[in-house]
Amino acid sequence: MIGEDCMALATLIGPRGTEALLRACPVEPAVYRRGGSELDERITLPLIGAYIDHGLTDPAFTAAVKDGKAAHPGRFSRDGKLRPGKLRELFEGGHTVNLRHLQTRVPYLAELCREIEAETGYTMFVSGLVTPPGAQGLTHHWDQFLAVVTQLHGRKRWPLWHPEVQFPVDEYLASPTMWTAEMQERWNSTEPYMVFDLEPGDTLVMPRGWVHSPHCLPGDPDPSLHLTFALRERMSLDLAEALVRTALDRPEFRTGIAPIRLTPENLPDTLTDTQTQIVRYLATTSPADVANTVRAALFPKPAG
């Protein structure tokens, strides 16, 4: 099986999910039962609570959101530091606390992410989200990454709608820039395409662009804790850029371009010359000869 050696990825989605993800980029959401993995033993509600209460996260990567509205960062931070107790107050008042880039703060997650990056060739980050019982943080939106959502404590409902845009990325078709009131009205007035209720041990794999509005269920006594592992899938453009970068060995690609050739009136001709140069290089370059160089650019070295 293709996923037999991908133990880190299997920690999130189990062997079956790993096999599926490595063979094809997912196009529809799916839930996998990972069981009691090391992730569930290492990342617990008390641990994340300690990070919140003791200010162990970066305010720049911290948010408190209630019913789609984010609290101003000044309510929980000052001068680049978290204000003691303020995040806990917001949580007790119904805000979801979102701790982004946890892999830069939690050693276990740093190691896990390095291993997954080495297994997949994708880059990634991790967000930890704690939602009070019966509450909701963000409302309808979509992500610009492949989201692997691991439920660790409590229960959370995930209603999903079909994508509004195809294959969004951070700098193109992002949810905050594309959202419209018409979209919101449509989501409010139509039933979701599918609904998942995630419990501890469940992992939702959600492709880029799928609209979601997760929330805790009324009457559930426990808060919800989940981690979102944001995997940035490699695109054809990534391979093309890495392939062109192999031309760095050629002196003609390293020569400078005079400023006059970059002016508005001259740039089209300069681009034409550059295009001709690149096409000639690619036409005479064997993919087999540069494959190792491209792979080294895309796959980080394994930890250790």
Side-chain angles (χ1 to χ4, degrees):
M1 289 176 61
I2 192 171
E4 284 181 347
D5 297 327
C6 295
M7 298 303 295
L9 192 58
T11 297
L12 306 185
I13 54 179
R16 185 170 66 91
T18 298
E19 178 82 6
L21 192 150
L22 292 178
R23 287 192 177 278
C25 293
V27 295
E28 284 218 356
V31 171
Y32 298 95
R33 185 70 184 173
R34 67 182 181 277
S37 70
E38 185 179 5
L39 177 71
D40 301 80
E41 299 172 1
R42 294 289 200 102
I43 309 300
T44 63
L45 186 63
L47 175 69
I48 298 302
Y51 274 79
I52 291 173
D53 293 332
H54 298 293
L56 302 180
T57 61
D58 186 341
F61 298 130
T62 302
V65 185
K66 182 178 181 180
D67 298 329
K69 297 180 180 180
H72 190 281
R75 294 182 62 183
F76 56 82
S77 64
R78 181 180 295 147
D79 299 328
K81 296 181 180 180
L82 290 177
R83 298 169 61 190
K86 294 303 180 181
L87 272 180
R88 177 61 64 179
E89 286 181 12
L90 288 167
F91 176 78
E92 297 295 342
H95 286 75
T96 290
V97 175
N98 184 354
L99 307 177
R100 301 189 298 274
H101 291 278
L102 272 180
Q103 81 283 357
T104 66
R105 300 280 170 163
V106 183
Y108 168 71
L109 294 178
E111 181 179 354
L112 185 62
C113 286
R114 283 196 299 268
E115 292 176 358
I116 293 173
E117 288 176 341
E119 291 171 357
T120 61
Y122 295 171
T123 59
M124 62 185 300
F125 65 91
V126 185
S127 292
L129 295 97
V130 189
T131 302
Q136 179 167 17
L138 288 174
T139 55
H140 300 86
H141 67 286
W142 64 83
D143 296 323
Q144 290 68 241
F145 47 76
L146 172 63
V148 178
V149 179
T150 59
Q151 189 72 22
L152 298 171
H153 186 93
R155 185 166 61 137
K156 203 162 200 179
R157 173 162 291 177
W158 289 75
L160 306 175
W161 289 259
H162 279 104
E164 295 285 334
V165 298
Q166 280 193 309
F167 311 126
V169 293
D170 286 343
E171 65 276 12
Y172 189 68
L173 301 177
S175 181
T177 60
M178 296 298 296
W179 180 94
T180 66
E182 184 275 330
M183 290 178 184
Q184 186 65 63
E185 176 59 29
R186 181 154 30 85
W187 297 326
N188 288 340
S189 60
T190 59
E191 291 295 318
Y193 174 69
M194 58 179 68
V195 178
F196 295 112
D197 287 343
L198 298 189
E199 298 183 350
D202 289 338
T203 297
L204 167 63
V205 175
M206 184 168 53
R208 285 179 285 157
W210 278 80
V211 178
H212 50 285
S213 182
H215 56 274
C216 290
L217 294 174
D220 277 359
D222 294 328
S224 164
L225 166 63
H226 76 266
L227 299 182
T228 294
F229 291 79
L231 277 67
R232 297 187 179 95
E233 294 168 300
R234 294 297 185 178
M235 306 175 293
S236 295
L237 186 60
D238 294 320
L239 291 179
E241 290 173 347
L243 186 58
V244 169
R245 289 285 296 178
T246 63
L248 195 60
D249 284 341
R250 303 287 186 92
E252 61 268 28
F253 284 95
R254 303 197 305 271
T255 58
I257 297 175
I260 195 171
R261 298 196 65 201
L262 302 177
T263 60
E265 62 272 19
N266 291 329
L267 186 57
D269 289 338
T270 305
L271 288 174
T272 298
D273 293 342
T274 302
Q275 183 182 52
T276 300
Q277 187 181 26
I278 291 173
V279 169
R280 185 184 303 118
Y281 168 75
L282 294 177
T284 57
T285 298
S286 167
D289 291 341
V290 298
N292 287 339
T293 302
V294 170
R295 181 176 174 82
L298 298 179
F299 282 72
K301 294 181 180 179

